[in-house]
Amino acid sequence: MKKLSAPTKALFFLWLLILLSCLVIFRRFIFGDELAVFKDVGSDTLQQYLMHYNSIINSLRDGNLSLWDFTNGFGTSMYALNLFHPLLFLLYLAGTVTGPAHLPMLMVYFEILQIFLAATVMFFFLGEFKFSARTRVIGAYLYGFNGYLLVWGQHYQFGLFVILLPLLLLLAERAVRRKQFSFLLALAVSISVLSSVYMAYMTLLALGLYLLFRIFSMEESFKVRIKLFLMNCGSILLGLLMMMAVFLPSMLYLTNISSRMDASLSLIERFLGNMKPFGDAFYSTAFYRLFSSNLCGISDNYVGDVNYYEAPVLFIGILFVILFFQYLFTIHRQDASKKQKAAQYLAVALSCFFIFIQAGSMVFNAFVRAFSRHTFVFMPFAALLMAFSLEQIFSKRKINFPGLAVSAALFAVLFLTAPEAVQASPLFICLLGFLMIAVLLLGWQKRFALPSFLAPALLLMLVIVNMIYDSYHAYNNRNTLQKSDTEYFEQLYGADMTEALDYLRENDETFYRVEKDYDAGSYCMDALAQNYFGVSTYNSAPNRYVARFIKKLWPGLERLSPSMFSYRQTVYDAELASLVNIKYLLSKNPALDVDGFSLKKQFGNLYVYQNQNTGSIGKFYTKIISEDKIPRNTSSIDMDSFLTDYLIVEHSGCGDAAVLKDYELKKVKYTIKGQHFAGTEELTIPIDREKLESYERIYADFTITFDSPAVAAVTLNNSCCRYISATEDKKKVHVRLRIPNRTCRTIRISSTAGAINGKISKIHFYGAPSIWTEHTRAEVQFPAPAKDTLVEGNVNNSVDGTLMVSIPYEDGWNAYIDGKTAKIHRADYGFMALGLTAGNHEIRLEYQAPGLQTGILLSLLGWSIFLILSALSPHGFCQVKRRAFQKKQQHADSQN
C-alpha cells in the first residue's frame, strides 16, 4: 500500500482537530437540548432564514417551486432572496425527505460542515506558497474557526463565502503560477454568483484586488503581466457569463425594484461624502474584536458598536495580533524587490482604508452604506500573513523584537481598558497572548537544542484553546430554540394548525390570504413554514412600491424595522384586510371583535374567522383619484373608508381632491389625561366605551416619550396590535390605533424587557361616521393558482372601471385581458391595476423574472464556451483522450 504523503497526513490531522474541537464547542447542540437557531440578536436564523428554507421545502414537496413566492408577504421574486447557496441544497434535500419540522436539528451540522470546508480550502491555499505542513495546519485551523464564520456563519448564506473566497484565491494563484487560463476558476466564480450576487460582489472585488497586487508585483515583463491579468479576468468574466441566468435577474431586481438601492446621490457623491472616520465606538469595538468576537458581549450584555453581528468582525485568533506586527515590521527586510515591498505596504494601507474608513467600507458594500459585513474578505489574507510569519520564526529563525513589544503593549491595553467580563475574559486572553509570545521566542532561540516540533506543537495547543474558547462563547450561553420547546413546534407544525389550513384548502378554491392575530414560530414569516398566502414578511430587500403602500396607507404594518411587516399589529384594520384579500383570520381568541369577521370553525384551541367583506384578490372600482391629489399627511382622513370607495392611481390629475372632505374624521369630545410612568412593566389605560358608541370607527391618537431605549407592545382586547420602539436618538413615538369600539375597554402598554420610564401624552379619539357609498356591482373571481407565477381570473362588470389586484407592482408581471396584452398600471402605490370596459373578461397574469430569458441565453453561451474550450485545452477531455490513444498506438507499434 502506498504511503501517505506528509501534506495528506497533515490534512487528516487537521480534520481530527476540527472534529474534536467541534465536539467541545457544539456539545450542547449535538448531545443536549440546544438548537443552532437563535432568539437573541442572532434571531434572523429563527425569524427569516429557517422560514425561507421551509418555503423551499414546501414548494418541492408540493411540486410548486417557482420564481415567485406568494407565501412571502404580498408575494416576492425569489431573486430578492439568497436561497441558491449550493450547500443549502443539502438542507433542502434532507427537509424534503424528513419534513421541514426537522430542519432546526440539522443547523448545527451545517455550521460544522462549513468549518471543515473553510479550513480544508485554506489548507490547500497555503500549500501553494510551499509552507511546511505544521504551518498549514495552524493557519488552516485558525481560519476554520475565524470569528466571521462563527458569527456570520450563523446567518448561513454569509458563511459560504468564507469558503468560496480562499477557493477563488487558490485557483487564481494556480492560474498565475502556471500561466494558464483557469476553467476551474470560472466554475468557482459561477458558484459564487449563484449563491448571492451581493456577497459575490464583495468576493470578486477582493479577488480582483488580489490579482492586481499579485501579478503587477511579479518580476516578469509588463507584457506577460498584462497577459496574466487579462487571462484571469477572462476566467472571472466567463464565470459571470455562465451564471447570467441568476446574475442578471438579481441585479435588475436590486436596481429596479428593491427599496435598498433607493438613493438620490450618485456613487461618487456617496463615496466622497463618506470620506471620513467612523465614530469612537466603532474603533473601540474593532480593537476588542481583534482579540475576541465576544469581549463586548453578545445579546442583552452587548456593549459594543451597533450590534454583535454588524460590528466589525476581525477575530482570527489572538496570534494574529502578534504575527501582524512581525510581518509589518519585517517587510523592509524581505528578500524581495522594492516594487514587491511597496505593494505589500500599499496592500496593508488599503486594507485599513476598507475596514476603518466609511468610504472604503461603502465600496465593498455596493455603495449602499458603510457597514462591516465585508470583513470576511480580509480573513484569508490574515491567515496567509500568519503562515508567512510563522515560517520566518520557526524555519528561518527570524523574529522582530519591536513587533513583539508592540503586541505585548496591546495586550496590556486590552487588560486595562476592556469591558468587564460579560462573555469572554480579558485576563485569560492576555494570558494566552503572553504565552504565545513566549512560545515564539522559544521556537526562535538557538541557544538550547530543542526538538523542532516542540514550539509549533505548544503553539498549536494554545491556538486550539484560544479558538475553542472564543467559538464556544459565540454559540453557547445564548437564547436559543430548544429541542424540548413543544410550544414552538406545535404552533408551526401542530395538528390544530394543519387541520385548519387543510380545511380551508378543501373548502375554498379561490385565491385567498390568511393571517393571524398572534405570533407563531416567527414574528412575521410563519406563512412560509405553514405554506399559506399572507401579507406579513421580513424582507431585507422589499419591493419599493409595496414599502411605499405601507408607509402611506398602512404604517401600522411595520414592526420595529422598515423591513419587517406584521399583520397582527393591525388586526382591527378590517377595511385594509378586505382591500388586500385577507379572507381568513386565525386566532386563539374565541370572542375576537373585528368588524366584518365572523367565526367560521374551531380546531382545538384555534379559531378560524372569515372576512365577509372580501371574496377575491381582485377589486373593481369606478372611482379613481391620482396620487398627486392625496395630501402628504392623511391623519385627518378616514382612509379605511376612502380606500373602500376610491382607487389611488399613478395617472396625474385624475379625480377631484374635494371628495376627501367627505371622509374627514371627527374629533371626539372625549380625551384621556396624559400621565407619567416609572419603574413599571405594564401600563393600563381605561376607555369609557359609551363615549365612543356614536361612531362607526374609532381611532386613538397619542404620543409616548420614553426616558431610555425600550420596546413595548400595545394591546387591545388581549390582541397585540402594535409594537413600538424607542432608541437613544428617537425616544418619542407617535401611535394611532383602530379601536374595536364595541368591546374594547382598555389600552395596555407592556414592556417586552424590564421596567420602563416616561410619559404618555393626552389621548385623543377620532371618529368616522357612517357614509353612504354607491358600490358598482361586479363579479370578480380568481381561483387559487396552481403555480405562483400564473394567476387567472374572471371579471363580469356592468360598467367601465379599473380592476385592482393586490399583487405587488413589479417588473416581470405581464397581463392579458381576453387573451390580449394589457398595460399594467400602479394602484394604491404598490399594486397592479387593469383598465376594463364593461363586459365579461378573462384575466391572466404571468410572472417571468426580468432579464431571465436573456440571462438563460447568455448562460447557455457561457457554458458552451466553457465546455468547448475546456475540452480542447491541453488538459481537457479531448486532448487527454487523444494523447492516451497516441500512447496506446505507440505501444502497439513497439510490440510489432
Side-chain angles (χ1 to χ4, degrees), residues 624-629 647 649-657:
I624 61 173
I625 189 169
S626 60
E627 293 175 357
D628 60 347
K629 296 292 194 301
L647 184 67
V649 296
E650 57 183 320
H651 313 307
S652 180
C654 295
D656 186 352

Side-chain angles (χ1 to χ4, degrees), residues 5-23:
S5 64
T8 304
K9 291 178 182 178
L11 180 60
F12 286 155
F13 180 61
L14 172 66
W15 286 345
L16 178 62
L17 291 180
I18 292 173
L19 176 62
L20 295 175
S21 301
C22 286
L23 289 175

Side-chain angles (χ1 to χ4, degrees), residues 322 325-326 329 400-412 434 437:
I322 302 169
F325 293 102
Q326 291 298 304
F329 289 4
N400 184 273
F401 287 98
L404 289 181
V406 171
S407 301
L410 290 177
F411 282 112
F434 284 115
I437 291 175

